[in-house]
């Protein structure tokens, strides 16, 4: 168990560019969540996967955002045509998926859109 | 719909003091409540998870309590140290998909 990892840790991009983030969950965890956190706020839910199926997307996830989890392992979050308002910390968490379970978080990817 | 609130937003205390951080939630049918620590610009570190059937959990100098009837959880930090300076967040899972609903956090500063 090496914990949840995310790559890259930091990304600076120009407005209008596309970016992709990767999350590697704990290997036996079948649930994977994406959250977004802006400065001074708690994280906000974006989407989650049960194995390879994306089961729910927040209304925060506009059509510029897409997430995948092929084969139920790692996940990617892509943002197309980035806007300055997309600047935030993007957090990934994984869990076994029961209501009593802890969610384990990765270190996050900090996105800055210039 | 669950809502989670943390007051105060910031707290500054001298080193060595015991302190309590507060977390309030609106839905008492809570599965569990989790406390996290976040250092500036960093990710989240899980500190304690209290299940709905439990009243408190302890880890070292940290003790978290849960009172479902009053919709409150507290995080008690004993003998505070400058290294405890961080933002502390609490979160509770929804009933539908267990996504976490978060408070905005309390920024704690321990003065040497």
């Amino acid at each position: 168990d090496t914990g949840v990892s995310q790559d890259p840790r930091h990304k600076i991009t120009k407005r209008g560019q596309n970016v992709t983030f990767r999350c590697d969950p704990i290997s036996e965890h079948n649930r994977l969540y994406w959250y977004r956190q802006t400065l001074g706020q708690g994280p906000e839910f974006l989407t989650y996967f049960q194995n390879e199926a994306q089961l729910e997307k927040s209304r925060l996830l506009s059509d510029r955002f897409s997430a995948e989890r092929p084969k139920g392992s790692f996940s990617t979050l892509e943002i197309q045509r980035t806007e300055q308002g997309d600047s935030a910390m993007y957090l990934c968490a994984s869990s076994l998926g029961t209501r009593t379970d802890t969610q384990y978080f990765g270190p996050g990817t900090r996105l800055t859109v210039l | 719909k669950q809502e989670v609130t943390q007051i105060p937003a910031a707290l500054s205390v001298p080193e060595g003091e015991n302190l309590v951080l507060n977390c309030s939630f609106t839905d008492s049918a809570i599965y569990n409540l989790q406390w996290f620590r976040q250092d500036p610009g960093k990710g989240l570190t899980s500190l304690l998870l209290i299940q709905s059937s439990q009243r408190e959990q302890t880890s070292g100098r940290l003790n978290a309590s849960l009172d479902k009837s009053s919709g409150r959880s507290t995080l008690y930090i004993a003998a505070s140290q400058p290294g405890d300076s961080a933002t502390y967040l609490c979160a509770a899972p929804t009933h539908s998909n267990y996504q976490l609903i978060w408070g905005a956090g309390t920024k704690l500063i321990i003065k040497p």
Side-chain angles (χ1 to χ4, degrees), chain B residues 6-78:
Chain B
Q6 292 183 254
I7 296 173
L11 182 64
S12 180
V13 301
E15 179 180 3
E17 282 198 4
N18 303 326
L19 61 99
V20 174
L21 304 179
N22 297 300
C23 174
S24 299
F25 48 91
T26 55
D27 185 356
S28 61
I30 196 169
Y31 290 150
N32 60 63
L33 189 132
Q34 201 164 352
W35 282 93
F36 294 84
R37 169 183 173 140
Q38 187 171 35
D39 292 289
K42 304 294 185 182
L44 296 157
T45 301
S46 179
L47 297 174
L48 290 164
L49 172 71
I50 314 175
Q51 302 294 351
S52 62
S53 58
Q54 299 173 318
R55 291 298 299 268
E56 60 180 51
Q57 278 283 338
T58 298
S59 175
R61 294 182 296 107
L62 305 180
N63 177 278
S65 69
L66 179 64
D67 184 342
K68 293 185 294 180
S69 62
S70 66
R72 289 190 60 198
S73 176
T74 60
L75 180 67
Y76 174 84
I77 302 177

Side-chain angles (χ1 to χ4, degrees), chain B residues 11-17 19 80-83 85 108-112:
Chain B
L11 182 64
S12 180
V13 301
E15 179 180 3
E17 282 198 4
L19 61 99
S80 58
Q81 304 170 357
S85 297
L108 177 64
I109 297 173
I110 306 299
K111 297 175 291 186

Side-chain angles (χ1 to χ4, degrees), chain A residues 9 31 33 35 37 40-45 48 56 89 91 97-103 105-108 110, chain B residues 1 31-32 34 36 38 40-46 49 51 89 93 96-105:
Chain A
R9 298 288 301 275
R31 283 268 177 121
Y33 298 83
Y35 296 86
Q37 185 181 26
Q41 300 298 315
E44 295 174 294
F45 169 76
Y48 88 102
E56 186 169 342
M89 175 78 88
L91 296 161
T98 69
R99 68 183 192 182
T100 59
D101 193 35
T102 298
Q103 289 187 24
F105 282 79
R110 179 165 295 283
Chain B
K1 179 184 174 184
Y31 290 150
N32 60 63
Q34 201 164 352
F36 294 84
Q38 187 171 35
K42 304 294 185 182
L44 296 157
T45 301
S46 179
L49 172 71
Q51 302 294 351
L89 298 106
S96 57
N97 59 20
Y98 314 141
Q99 62 159 290
L100 292 175
I101 305 298
W102 299 80

Side-chain angles (χ1 to χ4, degrees), chain A residues 21-23 25 32 34 49 67-70 73-77:
Chain A
F21 310 143
R22 176 178 171 128
C23 170
L32 188 148
W34 284 99
F49 293 83
E68 296 182 341
R69 193 183 182 195
S73 56
F74 70 92
S75 175
T76 59
L77 178 67

